Amino acid sequence: MELTGSVPALTAAYEVIRQPLGEILPRLSSVLAESVPHLAAAELSTHCAHSPFKTHGAPEIVDRLTTADLAPLLASGTPGRPWQGTLDLAGAERPVIAVTSHATPRGAVLLLVRDAAAVPADEPTLDLVQALWDVVTSHFDRMATEALPGALARSRTAARTRARVIAELGEGYSAALTGLLGVLRSRHLDDAAARATATDLAVAALVALRADAERDQEIAEEPAGQAFARLADSLRPLVRYSPVRLELGAPDSPRTLPADVAHTARATVRAVLLKVLEQEPVSRVHIGWAIADGELRATVRDDGPGTLTACALTPGLLRDRLDVLNGRLDIDAVPGWGSTVTATIPLSASQDPVADPLTALGERELQVLARLALGHRNRMIAEELHISQSTVKFHVANILTKLGVESRGAAAALFHTVA
């Protein structure tokens, strides 16, 4: 798709972000192919806890790319200024374009690996690619922040599996290399030069392994203090023109939080604060995070009438997101003295998440089902999602099949049961 002009660029952005999350990079690569011919594409997106690194394109390239190739580009890139140059990738010097965006708070980088004979892209083309990547990463951040329960459950399941595989590989490699070092350091072996060389190789392998593990943690997790600072920045505008005094208590802990836990804690606190501000009178609200016993406890305490109830605070998606992470919401309301609401979320993904039948559905199917559950007819759903009515019918049929129900009403009832 030629990106010259605003309308084609907007069309390209729409075509990309309407895809399920797993198909966004392939579609992005496709719409860029004519304007910026390339052999492979890769992304490193810190919004995504379970698969921050994705690739698409020629297997001889993407099979040899790692996060180590993209992490320096993310760290050194300047948002709004795509970089063209040459990198040593997949065993060869290759021309590339690296595009960095800060549309997500922790950044994201897109790498396009080009043919050796590729002509450098001109400034207008780079500007359009940058704008498109900014739109895509903004979409990523919204999806991460407002993830539907089914999507969050899949994320937590994938994150748990990924963490287990990484841990198992790390333990295996570490044990093997440590054993090798023990043998090579033995004074009973001959050929000191060979032993020294092998020792250096094993040490380098251990260092690389540990660096990979640390890099993975940096991408998939977020320091607690940094996560709380992001929350604080999003809350201040809510009380800027209000007489309510907002007090913030950041967590006193050096620990990092899994991205899905941080996203859910922020969404929960924002939702609770909005309910708290609806009360009269409220003059002071204290919001604090604390980490203890393997849990994050996010507390919202006010000096209002003390009449908050669980029904008012746990509408559909908020309760679902906590349930997926095995979290809970506790309310201590004392009439005349105020209310304290505490969200408790386990930090570990080792336990299986609560079973959720919606995990069988794709992103678009979840969007259709959510509207179907509100009683919307096909025409309204089509207008809201900017798709045809026949496409809505197709999605509804798939939803009924995947959920094992026979009617729209039964699907809606199942959605409300889970939600």
Side-chain angles (χ1 to χ4, degrees), residues 139-189:
H139 176 66
F140 285 160
D141 190 56
R142 183 184 67 81
M143 293 295 290
T145 302
E146 304 174 5
L148 289 170
L152 184 58
R154 288 195 297 274
S155 174
R156 171 48 64 103
T157 300
R160 186 181 64 255
T161 301
R162 176 168 164 267
R164 185 179 67 249
V165 171
I166 289 173
E168 290 173 353
L169 288 174
E171 290 172 0
Y173 285 134
S174 181
L177 291 172
T178 301
L180 176 61
L181 280 174
V183 171
L184 294 174
R185 285 171 173 166
S186 171
R187 297 182 180 227
H188 302 292
L189 295 177

mmCIF file of all heavy atoms in Angstrom, residues 139-189:
data_model
loop_
_atom_site.group_PDB
_atom_site.id
_atom_site.type_symbol
_atom_site.label_atom_id
_atom_site.label_comp_id
_atom_site.label_asym_id
_atom_site.label_seq_id
_atom_site.Cartn_x
_atom_site.Cartn_y
_atom_site.Cartn_z
ATOM 1 N N HIS A 139 -2.400 2.378 20.160
ATOM 2 C CA HIS A 139 -3.399 1.302 20.214
ATOM 3 C C HIS A 139 -2.939 0.198 21.160
ATOM 4 O O HIS A 139 -3.726 -0.320 21.969
ATOM 5 C CB HIS A 139 -3.607 0.742 18.803
ATOM 6 C CG HIS A 139 -4.527 -0.426 18.729
ATOM 7 N ND1 HIS A 139 -5.878 -0.342 19.026
ATOM 8 C CD2 HIS A 139 -4.307 -1.732 18.389
ATOM 9 C CE1 HIS A 139 -6.441 -1.524 18.863
ATOM 10 N NE2 HIS A 139 -5.498 -2.381 18.482
ATOM 11 N N PHE A 140 -1.653 -0.148 21.101
ATOM 12 C CA PHE A 140 -1.107 -1.143 22.022
ATOM 13 C C PHE A 140 -1.346 -0.728 23.472
ATOM 14 O O PHE A 140 -1.776 -1.528 24.310
ATOM 15 C CB PHE A 140 0.410 -1.281 21.818
ATOM 16 C CG PHE A 140 0.817 -2.039 20.582
ATOM 17 C CD1 PHE A 140 2.097 -1.881 20.058
ATOM 18 C CD2 PHE A 140 -0.052 -2.903 19.951
ATOM 19 C CE1 PHE A 140 2.496 -2.582 18.937
ATOM 20 C CE2 PHE A 140 0.335 -3.607 18.818
ATOM 21 C CZ PHE A 140 1.609 -3.434 18.319
ATOM 22 N N ASP A 141 -1.040 0.532 23.768
ATOM 23 C CA ASP A 141 -1.156 0.992 25.147
ATOM 24 C C ASP A 141 -2.601 0.968 25.615
ATOM 25 O O ASP A 141 -2.887 0.596 26.756
ATOM 26 C CB ASP A 141 -0.581 2.405 25.271
ATOM 27 C CG ASP A 141 -0.449 2.848 26.715
ATOM 28 O OD1 ASP A 141 0.220 2.135 27.485
ATOM 29 O OD2 ASP A 141 -1.027 3.878 27.087
ATOM 30 N N ARG A 142 -3.524 1.348 24.746
ATOM 31 C CA ARG A 142 -4.935 1.311 25.132
ATOM 32 C C ARG A 142 -5.384 -0.121 25.366
ATOM 33 O O ARG A 142 -6.116 -0.404 26.327
ATOM 34 C CB ARG A 142 -5.802 1.948 24.037
ATOM 35 C CG ARG A 142 -7.283 2.013 24.402
ATOM 36 C CD ARG A 142 -8.105 2.555 23.258
ATOM 37 N NE ARG A 142 -8.120 1.655 22.119
ATOM 38 C CZ ARG A 142 -8.921 0.587 22.025
ATOM 39 N NH1 ARG A 142 -9.738 0.285 23.005
ATOM 40 N NH2 ARG A 142 -8.877 -0.170 20.948
ATOM 41 N N MET A 143 -4.946 -1.041 24.500
ATOM 42 C CA MET A 143 -5.332 -2.437 24.679
ATOM 43 C C MET A 143 -4.779 -2.996 25.977
ATOM 44 O O MET A 143 -5.431 -3.781 26.661
ATOM 45 C CB MET A 143 -4.834 -3.275 23.493
ATOM 46 C CG MET A 143 -5.506 -2.936 22.179
ATOM 47 S SD MET A 143 -7.271 -3.318 22.160
ATOM 48 C CE MET A 143 -7.221 -5.111 22.162
ATOM 49 N N ALA A 144 -3.552 -2.610 26.333
ATOM 50 C CA ALA A 144 -2.955 -3.097 27.574
ATOM 51 C C ALA A 144 -3.664 -2.512 28.795
ATOM 52 O O ALA A 144 -3.900 -3.187 29.790
ATOM 53 C CB ALA A 144 -1.469 -2.746 27.615
ATOM 54 N N THR A 145 -4.023 -1.227 28.702
ATOM 55 C CA THR A 145 -4.643 -0.553 29.836
ATOM 56 C C THR A 145 -6.086 -0.976 30.029
ATOM 57 O O THR A 145 -6.558 -1.116 31.161
ATOM 58 C CB THR A 145 -4.582 0.973 29.637
ATOM 59 O OG1 THR A 145 -3.218 1.363 29.498
ATOM 60 C CG2 THR A 145 -5.195 1.711 30.814
ATOM 61 N N GLU A 146 -6.795 -1.198 28.914
ATOM 62 C CA GLU A 146 -8.225 -1.485 28.989
ATOM 63 C C GLU A 146 -8.542 -2.907 28.534
ATOM 64 O O GLU A 146 -9.630 -3.177 28.024
ATOM 65 C CB GLU A 146 -8.988 -0.482 28.123
ATOM 66 C CG GLU A 146 -8.715 0.971 28.492
ATOM 67 C CD GLU A 146 -9.371 1.941 27.538
ATOM 68 O OE1 GLU A 146 -10.127 1.487 26.648
ATOM 69 O OE2 GLU A 146 -9.146 3.152 27.684
ATOM 70 N N ALA A 147 -7.614 -3.825 28.731
ATOM 71 C CA ALA A 147 -7.782 -5.185 28.219
ATOM 72 C C ALA A 147 -9.065 -5.816 28.733
ATOM 73 O O ALA A 147 -9.381 -5.743 29.911
ATOM 74 C CB ALA A 147 -6.595 -6.049 28.622
ATOM 75 N N LEU A 148 -9.808 -6.448 27.812
ATOM 76 C CA LEU A 148 -10.969 -7.217 28.223
ATOM 77 C C LEU A 148 -10.503 -8.430 29.023
ATOM 78 O O LEU A 148 -9.383 -8.928 28.842
ATOM 79 C CB LEU A 148 -11.755 -7.671 26.992
ATOM 80 C CG LEU A 148 -12.505 -6.560 26.241
ATOM 81 C CD1 LEU A 148 -13.029 -7.091 24.921
ATOM 82 C CD2 LEU A 148 -13.644 -6.012 27.087
ATOM 83 N N PRO A 149 -11.361 -8.954 29.900
ATOM 84 C CA PRO A 149 -10.940 -10.065 30.749
ATOM 85 C C PRO A 149 -10.406 -11.259 29.978
ATOM 86 O O PRO A 149 -9.433 -11.880 30.375
ATOM 87 C CB PRO A 149 -12.227 -10.412 31.503
ATOM 88 C CG PRO A 149 -12.973 -9.128 31.555
ATOM 89 C CD PRO A 149 -12.702 -8.451 30.247
ATOM 90 N N GLY A 150 -11.044 -11.593 28.849
ATOM 91 C CA GLY A 150 -10.561 -12.733 28.074
ATOM 92 C C GLY A 150 -9.151 -12.522 27.566
ATOM 93 O O GLY A 150 -8.309 -13.413 27.630
ATOM 94 N N ALA A 151 -8.888 -11.310 27.056
ATOM 95 C CA ALA A 151 -7.542 -11.000 26.577
ATOM 96 C C ALA A 151 -6.548 -11.014 27.720
ATOM 97 O O ALA A 151 -5.413 -11.485 27.579
ATOM 98 C CB ALA A 151 -7.545 -9.637 25.886
ATOM 99 N N LEU A 152 -6.946 -10.501 28.879
ATOM 100 C CA LEU A 152 -6.057 -10.484 30.031
ATOM 101 C C LEU A 152 -5.755 -11.897 30.502
ATOM 102 O O LEU A 152 -4.631 -12.217 30.894
ATOM 103 C CB LEU A 152 -6.688 -9.676 31.165
ATOM 104 C CG LEU A 152 -5.843 -9.480 32.421
ATOM 105 C CD1 LEU A 152 -4.532 -8.785 32.085
ATOM 106 C CD2 LEU A 152 -6.612 -8.680 33.456
ATOM 107 N N ALA A 153 -6.756 -12.780 30.446
ATOM 108 C CA ALA A 153 -6.530 -14.171 30.847
ATOM 109 C C ALA A 153 -5.532 -14.846 29.920
ATOM 110 O O ALA A 153 -4.646 -15.578 30.359
ATOM 111 C CB ALA A 153 -7.857 -14.942 30.840
ATOM 112 N N ARG A 154 -5.657 -14.591 28.616
ATOM 113 C CA ARG A 154 -4.691 -15.172 27.683
ATOM 114 C C ARG A 154 -3.301 -14.616 27.938
ATOM 115 O O ARG A 154 -2.301 -15.332 27.858
ATOM 116 C CB ARG A 154 -5.131 -14.878 26.241
ATOM 117 C CG ARG A 154 -6.335 -15.680 25.801
ATOM 118 C CD ARG A 154 -6.491 -15.637 24.288
ATOM 119 N NE ARG A 154 -6.734 -14.289 23.824
ATOM 120 C CZ ARG A 154 -7.936 -13.718 23.762
ATOM 121 N NH1 ARG A 154 -8.990 -14.395 24.163
ATOM 122 N NH2 ARG A 154 -8.081 -12.491 23.312
ATOM 123 N N SER A 155 -3.225 -13.327 28.234
ATOM 124 C CA SER A 155 -1.936 -12.710 28.522
ATOM 125 C C SER A 155 -1.303 -13.345 29.749
ATOM 126 O O SER A 155 -0.113 -13.671 29.748
ATOM 127 C CB SER A 155 -2.111 -11.201 28.745
ATOM 128 O OG SER A 155 -0.909 -10.613 29.150
ATOM 129 N N ARG A 156 -2.093 -13.516 30.813
ATOM 130 C CA ARG A 156 -1.541 -14.098 32.036
ATOM 131 C C ARG A 156 -1.106 -15.548 31.810
ATOM 132 O O ARG A 156 -0.055 -15.981 32.290
ATOM 133 C CB ARG A 156 -2.590 -13.991 33.147
ATOM 134 C CG ARG A 156 -2.264 -14.743 34.452
ATOM 135 C CD ARG A 156 -0.863 -14.502 34.986
ATOM 136 N NE ARG A 156 -0.567 -13.164 35.380
ATOM 137 C CZ ARG A 156 -0.529 -12.747 36.649
ATOM 138 N NH1 ARG A 156 -0.824 -13.576 37.625
ATOM 139 N NH2 ARG A 156 -0.190 -11.515 36.924
ATOM 140 N N THR A 157 -1.897 -16.307 31.053
ATOM 141 C CA THR A 157 -1.533 -17.700 30.766
ATOM 142 C C THR A 157 -0.233 -17.758 29.969
ATOM 143 O O THR A 157 0.675 -18.534 30.272
ATOM 144 C CB THR A 157 -2.654 -18.396 29.981
ATOM 145 O OG1 THR A 157 -3.850 -18.372 30.773
ATOM 146 C CG2 THR A 157 -2.290 -19.842 29.671
ATOM 147 N N ALA A 158 -0.137 -16.905 28.935
ATOM 148 C CA ALA A 158 1.083 -16.881 28.123
ATOM 149 C C ALA A 158 2.276 -16.417 28.939
ATOM 150 O O ALA A 158 3.380 -16.949 28.809
ATOM 151 C CB ALA A 158 0.880 -15.971 26.914
ATOM 152 N N ALA A 159 2.062 -15.421 29.788
ATOM 153 C CA ALA A 159 3.159 -14.916 30.611
ATOM 154 C C ALA A 159 3.657 -15.993 31.569
ATOM 155 O O ALA A 159 4.859 -16.128 31.805
ATOM 156 C CB ALA A 159 2.703 -13.686 31.398
ATOM 157 N N ARG A 160 2.735 -16.765 32.133
ATOM 158 C CA ARG A 160 3.119 -17.825 33.062
ATOM 159 C C ARG A 160 3.943 -18.896 32.348
ATOM 160 O O ARG A 160 4.970 -19.357 32.840
ATOM 161 C CB ARG A 160 1.860 -18.438 33.690
ATOM 162 C CG ARG A 160 2.160 -19.462 34.780
ATOM 163 C CD ARG A 160 0.889 -20.073 35.354
ATOM 164 N NE ARG A 160 0.166 -20.823 34.360
ATOM 165 C CZ ARG A 160 -0.949 -20.415 33.768
ATOM 166 N NH1 ARG A 160 -1.449 -19.233 34.043
ATOM 167 N NH2 ARG A 160 -1.560 -21.162 32.876
ATOM 168 N N THR A 161 3.461 -19.284 31.155
ATOM 169 C CA THR A 161 4.187 -20.308 30.380
ATOM 170 C C THR A 161 5.562 -19.798 29.976
ATOM 171 O O THR A 161 6.561 -20.515 30.077
ATOM 172 C CB THR A 161 3.366 -20.673 29.130
ATOM 173 O OG1 THR A 161 2.088 -21.154 29.544
ATOM 174 C CG2 THR A 161 4.081 -21.749 28.321
ATOM 175 N N ARG A 162 5.610 -18.553 29.506
ATOM 176 C CA ARG A 162 6.878 -17.974 29.081
ATOM 177 C C ARG A 162 7.864 -17.898 30.233
ATOM 178 O O ARG A 162 9.047 -18.219 30.096
ATOM 179 C CB ARG A 162 6.605 -16.577 28.520
ATOM 180 C CG ARG A 162 7.810 -15.782 28.120
ATOM 181 C CD ARG A 162 7.354 -14.566 27.328
ATOM 182 N NE ARG A 162 8.404 -13.580 27.236
ATOM 183 C CZ ARG A 162 8.567 -12.566 28.068
ATOM 184 N NH1 ARG A 162 7.721 -12.425 29.063
ATOM 185 N NH2 ARG A 162 9.537 -11.710 27.917
ATOM 186 N N ALA A 163 7.389 -17.480 31.398
ATOM 187 C CA ALA A 163 8.264 -17.375 32.560
ATOM 188 C C ALA A 163 8.803 -18.748 32.961
ATOM 189 O O ALA A 163 9.976 -18.888 33.329
ATOM 190 C CB ALA A 163 7.508 -16.749 33.730
ATOM 191 N N ARG A 164 7.942 -19.768 32.876
ATOM 192 C CA ARG A 164 8.382 -21.101 33.249
ATOM 193 C C ARG A 164 9.441 -21.625 32.279
ATOM 194 O O ARG A 164 10.450 -22.208 32.688
ATOM 195 C CB ARG A 164 7.182 -22.061 33.278
ATOM 196 C CG ARG A 164 7.551 -23.458 33.787
ATOM 197 C CD ARG A 164 6.359 -24.392 33.830
ATOM 198 N NE ARG A 164 5.860 -24.694 32.507
ATOM 199 C CZ ARG A 164 4.698 -24.270 32.028
ATOM 200 N NH1 ARG A 164 3.921 -23.502 32.763
ATOM 201 N NH2 ARG A 164 4.308 -24.593 30.811
ATOM 202 N N VAL A 165 9.197 -21.413 30.978
ATOM 203 C CA VAL A 165 10.166 -21.882 29.979
ATOM 204 C C VAL A 165 11.499 -21.173 30.153
ATOM 205 O O VAL A 165 12.567 -21.790 30.118
ATOM 206 C CB VAL A 165 9.611 -21.662 28.560
ATOM 207 C CG1 VAL A 165 10.687 -21.923 27.518
ATOM 208 C CG2 VAL A 165 8.418 -22.577 28.319
ATOM 209 N N ILE A 166 11.453 -19.854 30.354
ATOM 210 C CA ILE A 166 12.689 -19.095 30.541
ATOM 211 C C ILE A 166 13.431 -19.582 31.777
ATOM 212 O O ILE A 166 14.657 -19.758 31.764
ATOM 213 C CB ILE A 166 12.381 -17.597 30.658
ATOM 214 C CG1 ILE A 166 11.938 -17.051 29.298
ATOM 215 C CG2 ILE A 166 13.602 -16.810 31.149
ATOM 216 C CD1 ILE A 166 11.446 -15.631 29.340
ATOM 217 N N ALA A 167 12.692 -19.828 32.860
ATOM 218 C CA ALA A 167 13.327 -20.299 34.088
ATOM 219 C C ALA A 167 13.963 -21.668 33.887
ATOM 220 O O ALA A 167 15.089 -21.917 34.339
ATOM 221 C CB ALA A 167 12.308 -20.345 35.220
ATOM 222 N N GLU A 168 13.241 -22.562 33.195
ATOM 223 C CA GLU A 168 13.778 -23.902 32.976
ATOM 224 C C GLU A 168 15.023 -23.862 32.095
ATOM 225 O O GLU A 168 16.021 -24.538 32.372
ATOM 226 C CB GLU A 168 12.703 -24.789 32.337
ATOM 227 C CG GLU A 168 11.545 -25.125 33.297
ATOM 228 C CD GLU A 168 10.424 -25.844 32.584
ATOM 229 O OE1 GLU A 168 10.479 -25.960 31.343
ATOM 230 O OE2 GLU A 168 9.484 -26.300 33.271
ATOM 231 N N LEU A 169 14.977 -23.080 31.025
ATOM 232 C CA LEU A 169 16.147 -22.961 30.160
ATOM 233 C C LEU A 169 17.313 -22.339 30.907
ATOM 234 O O LEU A 169 18.464 -22.792 30.789
ATOM 235 C CB LEU A 169 15.800 -22.115 28.928
ATOM 236 C CG LEU A 169 14.885 -22.745 27.888
ATOM 237 C CD1 LEU A 169 14.532 -21.733 26.822
ATOM 238 C CD2 LEU A 169 15.531 -23.971 27.260
ATOM 239 N N GLY A 170 17.011 -21.307 31.670
ATOM 240 C CA GLY A 170 18.065 -20.650 32.426
ATOM 241 C C GLY A 170 18.728 -21.589 33.417
ATOM 242 O O GLY A 170 19.958 -21.620 33.535
ATOM 243 N N GLU A 171 17.911 -22.365 34.125
ATOM 244 C CA GLU A 171 18.472 -23.301 35.098
ATOM 245 C C GLU A 171 19.312 -24.365 34.406
ATOM 246 O O GLU A 171 20.382 -24.744 34.886
ATOM 247 C CB GLU A 171 17.338 -23.944 35.892
ATOM 248 C CG GLU A 171 16.630 -22.984 36.841
ATOM 249 C CD GLU A 171 15.405 -23.598 37.473
ATOM 250 O OE1 GLU A 171 15.108 -24.774 37.166
ATOM 251 O OE2 GLU A 171 14.736 -22.904 38.260
ATOM 252 N N GLY A 172 18.787 -24.860 33.262
ATOM 253 C CA GLY A 172 19.529 -25.896 32.542
ATOM 254 C C GLY A 172 20.862 -25.397 32.024
ATOM 255 O O GLY A 172 21.906 -26.036 32.224
ATOM 256 N N TYR A 173 20.850 -24.244 31.347
ATOM 257 C CA TYR A 173 22.088 -23.684 30.825
ATOM 258 C C TYR A 173 23.044 -23.325 31.961
ATOM 259 O O TYR A 173 24.255 -23.543 31.873
ATOM 260 C CB TYR A 173 21.803 -22.439 29.987
ATOM 261 C CG TYR A 173 21.225 -22.733 28.637
ATOM 262 C CD1 TYR A 173 20.129 -22.022 28.169
ATOM 263 C CD2 TYR A 173 21.774 -23.714 27.812
ATOM 264 C CE1 TYR A 173 19.590 -22.284 26.918
ATOM 265 C CE2 TYR A 173 21.237 -23.987 26.572
ATOM 266 C CZ TYR A 173 20.140 -23.265 26.125
ATOM 267 O OH TYR A 173 19.611 -23.527 24.900
ATOM 268 N N SER A 174 22.508 -22.754 33.017
ATOM 269 C CA SER A 174 23.359 -22.347 34.128
ATOM 270 C C SER A 174 24.039 -23.550 34.767
ATOM 271 O O SER A 174 25.238 -23.523 35.064
ATOM 272 C CB SER A 174 22.529 -21.590 35.173
ATOM 273 O OG SER A 174 23.345 -21.172 36.237
ATOM 274 N N ALA A 175 23.261 -24.637 34.954
ATOM 275 C CA ALA A 175 23.840 -25.840 35.557
ATOM 276 C C ALA A 175 24.929 -26.429 34.661
ATOM 277 O O ALA A 175 26.006 -26.818 35.129
ATOM 278 C CB ALA A 175 22.740 -26.871 35.806
ATOM 279 N N ALA A 176 24.641 -26.481 33.350
ATOM 280 C CA ALA A 176 25.616 -27.057 32.424
ATOM 281 C C ALA A 176 26.895 -26.229 32.382
ATOM 282 O O ALA A 176 28.010 -26.761 32.441
ATOM 283 C CB ALA A 176 25.006 -27.161 31.033
ATOM 284 N N LEU A 177 26.753 -24.927 32.302
ATOM 285 C CA LEU A 177 27.927 -24.081 32.208
ATOM 286 C C LEU A 177 28.707 -24.034 33.519
ATOM 287 O O LEU A 177 29.942 -23.976 33.514
ATOM 288 C CB LEU A 177 27.500 -22.661 31.794
ATOM 289 C CG LEU A 177 26.971 -22.541 30.360
ATOM 290 C CD1 LEU A 177 26.389 -21.156 30.124
ATOM 291 C CD2 LEU A 177 28.063 -22.837 29.352
ATOM 292 N N THR A 178 27.964 -24.064 34.639
ATOM 293 C CA THR A 178 28.653 -24.084 35.923
ATOM 294 C C THR A 178 29.454 -25.372 36.091
ATOM 295 O O THR A 178 30.590 -25.370 36.588
ATOM 296 C CB THR A 178 27.642 -23.938 37.075
ATOM 297 O OG1 THR A 178 26.936 -22.695 36.916
ATOM 298 C CG2 THR A 178 28.341 -23.936 38.423
ATOM 299 N N GLY A 179 28.853 -26.489 35.666
ATOM 300 C CA GLY A 179 29.578 -27.760 35.709
ATOM 301 C C GLY A 179 30.798 -27.743 34.823
ATOM 302 O O GLY A 179 31.873 -28.239 35.196
ATOM 303 N N LEU A 180 30.641 -27.143 33.644
ATOM 304 C CA LEU A 180 31.776 -27.038 32.728
ATOM 305 C C LEU A 180 32.892 -26.209 33.343
ATOM 306 O O LEU A 180 34.077 -26.571 33.251
ATOM 307 C CB LEU A 180 31.302 -26.408 31.419
ATOM 308 C CG LEU A 180 32.367 -26.128 30.359
ATOM 309 C CD1 LEU A 180 33.035 -27.419 29.918
ATOM 310 C CD2 LEU A 180 31.748 -25.407 29.168
ATOM 311 N N LEU A 181 32.520 -25.118 33.984
ATOM 312 C CA LEU A 181 33.526 -24.289 34.632
ATOM 313 C C LEU A 181 34.256 -25.067 35.725
ATOM 314 O O LEU A 181 35.471 -24.949 35.891
ATOM 315 C CB LEU A 181 32.872 -23.043 35.237
ATOM 316 C CG LEU A 181 32.566 -21.893 34.273
ATOM 317 C CD1 LEU A 181 31.789 -20.800 34.989
ATOM 318 C CD2 LEU A 181 33.844 -21.335 33.679
ATOM 319 N N GLY A 182 33.485 -25.854 36.485
ATOM 320 C CA GLY A 182 34.111 -26.628 37.558
ATOM 321 C C GLY A 182 35.161 -27.584 37.037
ATOM 322 O O GLY A 182 36.243 -27.729 37.619
ATOM 323 N N VAL A 183 34.836 -28.231 35.909
ATOM 324 C CA VAL A 183 35.786 -29.179 35.324
ATOM 325 C C VAL A 183 37.013 -28.445 34.788
ATOM 326 O O VAL A 183 38.163 -28.841 35.004
ATOM 327 C CB VAL A 183 35.104 -29.979 34.199
ATOM 328 C CG1 VAL A 183 36.140 -30.819 33.442
ATOM 329 C CG2 VAL A 183 34.011 -30.855 34.772
ATOM 330 N N LEU A 184 36.740 -27.337 34.085
ATOM 331 C CA LEU A 184 37.838 -26.627 33.443
ATOM 332 C C LEU A 184 38.771 -25.956 34.439
ATOM 333 O O LEU A 184 39.946 -25.731 34.153
ATOM 334 C CB LEU A 184 37.280 -25.591 32.469
ATOM 335 C CG LEU A 184 36.540 -26.179 31.255
ATOM 336 C CD1 LEU A 184 35.916 -25.085 30.433
ATOM 337 C CD2 LEU A 184 37.499 -27.010 30.400
ATOM 338 N N ARG A 185 38.260 -25.641 35.612
ATOM 339 C CA ARG A 185 39.087 -25.000 36.620
ATOM 340 C C ARG A 185 39.868 -26.015 37.461
ATOM 341 O O ARG A 185 40.652 -25.623 38.321
ATOM 342 C CB ARG A 185 38.206 -24.141 37.537
ATOM 343 C CG ARG A 185 37.740 -22.840 36.877
ATOM 344 C CD ARG A 185 36.718 -22.128 37.723
ATOM 345 N NE ARG A 185 36.399 -20.812 37.183
ATOM 346 C CZ ARG A 185 35.346 -20.076 37.551
ATOM 347 N NH1 ARG A 185 34.509 -20.558 38.462
ATOM 348 N NH2 ARG A 185 35.136 -18.892 37.017
ATOM 349 N N SER A 186 39.617 -27.258 37.184
ATOM 350 C CA SER A 186 40.311 -28.302 37.949
ATOM 351 C C SER A 186 41.810 -28.239 37.679
ATOM 352 O O SER A 186 42.257 -28.088 36.545
ATOM 353 C CB SER A 186 39.774 -29.680 37.565
ATOM 354 O OG SER A 186 40.574 -30.685 38.150
ATOM 355 N N ARG A 187 42.607 -28.391 38.742
ATOM 356 C CA ARG A 187 44.063 -28.369 38.611
ATOM 357 C C ARG A 187 44.614 -29.691 38.104
ATOM 358 O O ARG A 187 45.812 -29.838 37.891
ATOM 359 C CB ARG A 187 44.691 -28.053 39.959
ATOM 360 C CG ARG A 187 44.304 -26.666 40.461
ATOM 361 C CD ARG A 187 44.956 -26.342 41.762
ATOM 362 N NE ARG A 187 44.557 -25.024 42.201
ATOM 363 C CZ ARG A 187 45.367 -24.089 42.647
ATOM 364 N NH1 ARG A 187 46.663 -24.362 42.718
ATOM 365 N NH2 ARG A 187 44.920 -22.921 43.021
ATOM 366 N N HIS A 188 43.733 -30.672 37.963
ATOM 367 C CA HIS A 188 44.195 -31.993 37.529
ATOM 368 C C HIS A 188 44.206 -32.123 36.006
ATOM 369 O O HIS A 188 44.568 -33.172 35.488
ATOM 370 C CB HIS A 188 43.286 -33.073 38.129
ATOM 371 C CG HIS A 188 43.249 -33.033 39.624
ATOM 372 N ND1 HIS A 188 44.326 -33.350 40.426
ATOM 373 C CD2 HIS A 188 42.238 -32.686 40.468
ATOM 374 C CE1 HIS A 188 43.991 -33.208 41.703
ATOM 375 N NE2 HIS A 188 42.725 -32.801 41.758
ATOM 376 N N LEU A 189 43.767 -31.086 35.298
ATOM 377 C CA LEU A 189 43.725 -31.153 33.844
ATOM 378 C C LEU A 189 45.016 -30.599 33.250
ATOM 379 O O LEU A 189 45.636 -29.692 33.791
ATOM 380 C CB LEU A 189 42.533 -30.355 33.308
ATOM 381 C CG LEU A 189 41.134 -30.872 33.675
ATOM 382 C CD1 LEU A 189 40.071 -29.930 33.119
ATOM 383 C CD2 LEU A 189 40.932 -32.285 33.148
#
